[in-house]
Amino acid sequence: MTRAFLIVMDSVGIGGAPDAAAFGDEGANTLLHIAQSCAEGRADEGRSGPLKMPVLDGLGLGEAAKLACGEPVPGLSARPQGRWGAATEVSRGKDTPSGHWELAGLPVPFDWTYFPDETPAFPPDLVAKVCELAGTDGILGNCHSSGLRILEKLAGEHLRTGWPICYTSVDSVFQIAAHEEHFGLERLLALCEALAPWLHERCVGRVIARPFLGGATDFRRTPNRRDYAIAPPGPTLLDCASGAGRVTHAIGKIGDIFSMRGVSHLHKGKGDADLADHLIRLADEAEEGSLTFANFVEFDTLYGHTRDVAGYARALEWFDTRAGAFLAKLRPGDLAIFTADHGNDPSFRGTEHTRERVPVLCAGVGTGAFGHCGFVDVAACVAAHLGVDNPGPGRSFL
């Protein structure tokens, strides 16, 4: 038997989505614009010079990005030693569940419910439901916002009133922020868990608990975030692997995204550094025939949504070194695929995800380009490598 590792670099898009304009994202290109900023000396906080990603560029990152958008990426010009291509999404969303489900072989078969970008953003029956479950007379927020900005604005009022801070984004998501001590972490998690089925029935993709700590003006998120995601409406790669008796390892948010379906073991941590340690350890320890599915979220949460170009560049360069340590531990016959679920161009307007193609970089299966593919083809490739059923309509590119 052989092993497979599917690694999602959350939001590391490479531009070129043919339907970007329909999402208001024409011209967005996460990797290209970060690399251009680095090359021009505009991303030197905590780093300097051109973007340096020799490991992933060596697998084909620069070539995949050029294929996706037609432009060379400054600093990424290696001759690929892996298999590489660019994937295009068909699901009508640019969010975490859409991208991950489709990478796992299941395009989203329905339209998500989104909340309008106005204040108030939520209908009265939803506000009443939150108040009923929380035992409060009202909520704060009731608008579109990034998480860090709404904490700056409303965390103090939350401490005074005890009301939960509720907000959303262009994604199909309802987020609740509350202080772990003043409101209570368990109370927040219970609130989100109870509310989630009510919103899932209305095709809202996720309810996210966003706990924080601090006082006065020193508010900070904690690692105790919890996603309550709608269950996939059909079989995924995880289902097929576990159904065939294979061990599956979920690193990071994967367990939440797939409602723990098809997951044998869950590996979480305080941040991406902990998750990278899990990935490298599993390169040593994962069972023959197993599937390891990982999500590295901090590109998106810490640097994409906050529009921090230099921070995103630092995260990419850090991850590239950890990818090298991981690849050095793979066994003959292993397959490792590095990809992404959407874009989040830190140089683009707004604070939200961007509709983009994503790289597909394969180690352990030779060299050469396979060109354009679909997200579902990633699942087909992994399924074929493991010798399990293909969950969706994709075709293996290997």
Side-chain angles (χ1 to χ4, degrees):
M1 287 188 180
T2 58
R3 306 181 301 171
F5 298 82
L6 178 54
I7 302 150
V8 179
M9 303 176 292
D10 203 303
S11 85
V12 184
I14 52 176
D19 56 358
F23 291 82
D25 293 332
E26 189 171 18
N29 193 319
T30 301
L31 184 66
L32 176 64
H33 292 157
I34 292 169
Q36 289 175 336
S37 294
C38 291
E40 294 165 7
R42 294 184 287 109
D44 283 352
E45 296 88 350
R47 60 163 308 281
S48 63
L51 185 65
K52 303 172 187 68
M53 299 183 67
V55 175
L56 294 180
D57 191 27
L59 290 181
L61 179 58
E63 290 298 317
K66 185 163 64 174
L67 172 68
C69 69
E71 293 187 51
V73 179
L76 304 184
S77 58
R79 177 175 294 180
Q81 300 302 306
R83 300 292 306 279
W84 57 271
T88 303
E89 186 175 8
V90 299
S91 297
R92 294 184 294 275
K94 52 179 180 177
D95 48 49
T96 295
S98 296
H100 283 77
W101 288 4
E102 195 166 324
L103 288 168
L106 179 67
V108 179
F110 52 76
D111 289 326
W112 297 108
T113 294
Y114 301 96
F115 297 108
D117 190 2
E118 56 192 43
T119 303
F122 307 128
D125 62 338
L126 173 53
V127 175
K129 187 69 174 178
V130 175
C131 292
E132 173 195 338
L133 294 172
T136 60
D137 294 328
I139 66 171
L140 301 174
N142 203 343
C143 61
H144 278 235
S145 178
S146 70
L148 297 179
R149 289 178 182 175
I150 207 163
L151 282 189
E152 292 174 0
K153 181 179 179 182
L154 294 175
E157 188 175 352
H158 166 73
L159 295 185
R160 291 191 298 272
T161 64
W163 292 4
I165 303 170
C166 302
Y167 61 105
T168 187
S169 69
V170 296
D171 296 332
S172 181
V173 64
F174 186 83
Q175 305 188 74
I176 306 179
H179 197 282
E180 285 195 0
E181 295 172 350
H182 291 265
F183 189 89
L185 176 60
E186 294 306 317
R187 182 184 174 198
L188 172 61
L189 298 180
L191 167 60
C192 292
E193 184 175 9
L195 180 64
W198 193 88
L199 283 171
H200 292 166
E201 289 177 357
R202 291 153 178 80
C203 292
V204 176
R206 286 180 294 163
V207 176
I208 304 179
R210 293 284 198 175
F212 63 94
L213 285 171
T217 58
D218 179 29
F219 296 107
R220 61 194 183 281
R221 284 176 168 176
T222 76
N224 294 318
R225 162 184 171 156
R226 186 78 58 82
D227 290 43
Y228 298 88
I230 190 170
T236 71
L237 179 64
L238 285 165
D239 295 316
C240 291
S242 63
R246 307 303 180 84
V247 175
T248 60
H249 296 275
I251 298 177
K253 294 200 311 178
I254 297 300
D256 293 330
I257 295 166
F258 291 91
S259 299
M260 288 301 293
R261 236 180 48 199
V263 174
S264 307
H265 302 288
L266 180 63
H267 310 268
K268 303 200 82 169
K270 294 182 179 180
D272 279 1
D274 290 343
L275 303 185
D277 289 342
H278 286 312
L279 180 64
I280 293 167
R281 174 178 55 81
L282 286 170
D284 271 333
E285 299 176 2
E287 300 82 355
E288 288 299 315
S290 64
L291 167 64
T292 297
F293 197 166
N295 169 278
F296 288 86
V297 72
E298 289 182 349
F299 303 111
D300 186 56
T301 56
L302 297 186
Y303 308 113
H305 287 301
T306 62
R307 295 305 191 248
D308 182 351
V309 176
Y312 207 130
R314 290 195 305 272
L316 287 170
E317 292 175 338
W318 167 83
F319 183 77
D320 194 71
T321 65
R322 304 308 284 153
F326 159 72
L327 290 171
K329 290 181 173 290
L330 293 183
R331 304 171 188 166
D334 286 345
L335 166 67
I337 298 179
F338 294 86
T339 186
D341 53 343
H342 50 71
N344 199 345
D345 186 342
S347 71
F348 206 62
R349 61 181 175 271
T351 63
E352 305 298 346
H353 296 158
T354 44
R355 182 73 161 187
E356 301 179 41
R357 287 183 167 125
V358 301
V360 183
L361 314 174
C362 305
V365 286
T367 63
F370 51 81
H372 287 285
C373 66
F375 277 36
V376 290
D377 297 331
V378 174
C381 174
V382 175
H385 183 79
L386 292 177
V388 302
D389 289 341
N390 178 10
R395 300 179 62 183
S396 175
F397 45 72
L398 297 180

